[in-house]
Amino acid sequence: MRVTQGMLSNNMLRNLSQSYDNLGKYMDQLSTGKKVNRPSDDPVVAMKGMNYRTQVTEVEQYQRNSSEVHNWMDNSDSALDKATQALQRLRELAVQASNGAYEESQRENIAAEVDQLKKHLVEIANTKVNNKFIFNGTATTGTDDGAGNLVEPVTLDPNGTVVTVSTNTDPVLIEVANGVKLGANVDPNTVFSSDLFADIEAFSDALKTNSQDLIGQSIENMDTHIEGVVNARADLGARMNRLDLIEDRLSSQLISATQMMSDNEDADMEKVIMDLTTQESIHRAALGAGARVIQPSLLDFLR
């Protein structure tokens, strides 16, 4: 086959163009640190990268969800701890007031403290975290009072008597792993029920009317309510332990997914630098050979 000057020039230009493409590819890899900068570079790697990135994003979202559950549980546990202390104090007062040596005025003083402890328990029942009620089931923004207004889960009338308590016992479920939803709240009826406040008010009335039988009954009532709070905290603690295990698993999944994503698409920098250096040498050699192959012009002959 006869090789013409035009064929040599076209081949040289094509090879130089290919050399520039390779230089550009290695420069992109060096500057971005990625093997693939567009899907056309390697469709298989690009597709795998999208899947790995989706998995990483999903795990990170689950971690944020688990942090929200932790926030709810920590605050619920703290509130229940304060409720336990208040109930234990109420029991102490009931035992103290059951002493027949106490005078009527002394029992009235105890009644005043009982009333304050009841208000303290109401405040705990109305605890808000991130502007959401944590002891009101799924009605986290408040309870509808029937007139379209959202009110606190536990309300008092002007005389300090409890009027309403939360009746929403639906669990607040938050997805903390693929297909795993964990209840973040505590059933308000197990800790801040209408019976609790009714028994405290009955205890206060018994102190004011000096009714020894009712005062003695209050000791048993307080024991029952303390046991209810302890059981609720035990259930909450079990869920917190499970959440810790889930968070540990999510951390492991995130590390694995990130490692796979890195192995799939991150460039081997040492190899890229070597390839770039080699390509530069090839490119210079091609330019040098091309300069010799191109036929000199008429002016070169006339010199």
Side-chain angles (χ1 to χ4, degrees), residues 66 69-70 73-74 176 182 236-251:
S66 65
V69 176
H70 243 311
M73 288 183 171
D74 289 344
V176 294
L182 204 59
L236 182 64
R239 280 183 281 150
M240 292 175 76
N241 289 338
R242 184 186 175 194
L243 181 62
D244 288 339
L245 294 174
I246 292 174
E247 286 183 325
D248 184 61
R249 184 158 59 93
L250 288 175
S251 297

Side-chain angles (χ1 to χ4, degrees), residues 86-270:
L87 289 171
Q88 287 173 339
R89 178 58 182 163
L90 284 169
R91 188 185 186 283
E92 291 175 8
L93 293 174
V95 173
Q96 184 179 354
S98 65
N99 188 340
Y102 272 74
E103 299 176 357
E104 182 178 348
S105 60
Q106 291 175 311
R107 289 197 173 89
E108 288 181 354
N109 291 335
I110 295 175
E113 183 174 352
V114 169
D115 291 339
Q116 291 301 316
L117 287 171
K118 183 189 70 175
K119 292 180 179 177
H120 179 57
L121 286 169
V122 170
E123 292 173 359
I124 295 174
N126 292 332
T127 299
K128 296 178 79 173
V129 174
N130 196 21
N131 205 31
K132 294 180 179 178
F133 294 107
I134 61 175
F135 296 112
N136 199 29
T138 53
T140 55
T141 55
T143 302
D144 192 338
D145 63 355
N149 301 316
L150 295 177
V151 298
E152 296 176 328
V154 181
T155 58
L156 300 170
D157 65 11
N159 297 322
T161 303
V162 173
V163 179
T164 61
V165 298
S166 175
T167 56
N168 189 323
T169 61
D170 295 333
V172 176
L173 298 175
I174 298 178
E175 190 168 9
V176 294
N178 189 16
V180 179
K181 292 183 179 180
L182 204 59
N185 64 330
V186 173
D187 183 353
N189 274 353
T190 62
V191 288
F192 301 114
S193 64
S194 58
D195 289 343
L196 168 67
F197 296 108
D199 288 341
I200 296 174
E201 290 172 354
F203 178 32
S204 177
D205 292 339
L207 290 168
K208 293 171 184 173
T209 58
N210 198 21
S211 174
Q212 284 297 320
D213 292 339
L214 293 178
I215 292 174
Q217 180 63 41
S218 296
I219 298 175
E220 296 180 12
N221 293 339
M222 292 306 116
D223 284 339
T224 301
H225 294 305
I226 290 173
E227 184 179 357
V229 175
V230 170
N231 290 336
R233 291 190 71 186
D235 175 67
L236 182 64
R239 280 183 281 150
M240 292 175 76
N241 289 338
R242 184 186 175 194
L243 181 62
D244 288 339
L245 294 174
I246 292 174
E247 286 183 325
D248 184 61
R249 184 158 59 93
L250 288 175
S251 297
S252 299
Q253 288 180 341
L254 182 62
I255 293 173
S256 299
T258 304
Q259 182 64 46
M260 287 189 293
M261 187 171 68
S262 175
D263 293 342
N264 179 67
E265 61 188 39
D266 286 354
D268 182 348
M269 300 306 289
E270 291 82 358

